[in-house]
Amino acid sequence: MFLSIGNVLKYLNATPDSRNFVEGERLLNASHLILCGIEEKCEANLNIFASCLHTSAISSPPHEISGIIKNSVENGMSVTSMSCTCKAGLGGTCKHIAAVLLYCTRLSLTLLFYTTNHLPAISD
């Protein structure tokens, strides 16, 4: 199972044009996400942790992002909860959280690509 963009947008209460989503993608593309991984796997839950550099003060300690992604047979992967140490992070939908969730979707696509060795050919 993979975390879909649709589930990310649903959790963030966003659209592809929403500020948190757009800025989260910018953070990810600028390599501000310096750590992201699974802290613990508990049954169907993945507890994730990430660090993201400040955009305005790169030398400051990074923001810490944590959350839970649930994997269920019925609904696939979905975001249960997220938090960030930034001022906007208490709401669970800041740009740093968006960057982490986008990273998870990109990682899913990368794993899919490398486990099948290539994308299927499209014929006329």
Side-chain angles (χ1 to χ4, degrees):
M1 292 284 173
F2 298 103
L3 182 61
S4 72
I5 293 285
N7 282 340
V8 168
L9 290 169
K10 182 177 178 181
Y11 176 79
L12 294 172
N13 193 26
T15 68
D17 296 325
S18 296
R19 182 177 179 178
N20 60 342
F21 190 81
V22 170
E23 290 184 6
E25 188 171 36
R26 285 184 186 145
L27 284 174
L28 185 56
N29 291 340
S31 300
H32 282 242
L33 190 63
I34 55 173
L35 171 73
C36 186
I38 299 170
E39 267 192 318
E40 184 179 11
K41 186 176 180 179
C42 301
E43 298 177 19
N45 292 334
L46 297 175
N47 296 343
I48 60 172
F49 178 83
S51 293
C52 187
L53 296 174
H54 287 249
T55 52
S56 58
I58 297 211
S59 61
S60 298
H63 295 295
E64 294 182 352
I65 302 102
S66 60
I68 300 171
I69 296 176
K70 183 177 182 174
N71 188 13
S72 72
V73 176
E74 306 85 37
N75 301 320
M77 293 188 98
S78 59
V79 183
T80 302
S81 64
M82 295 296 293
S83 64
C84 179
T85 56
C86 75
K87 291 179 184 178
L90 294 176
T93 61
C94 69
K95 63 185 177 182
H96 309 104
I97 290 170
V100 169
L101 295 176
L102 280 169
Y103 175 82
C104 291
T105 64
R106 289 182 184 181
L107 182 62
S108 297
L109 290 174
T110 302
L111 289 173
L112 178 64
F113 180 81
Y114 284 109
T115 56
T116 60
N117 294 326
H118 64 281
L119 292 173
I122 300 173
S123 60
D124 296 311

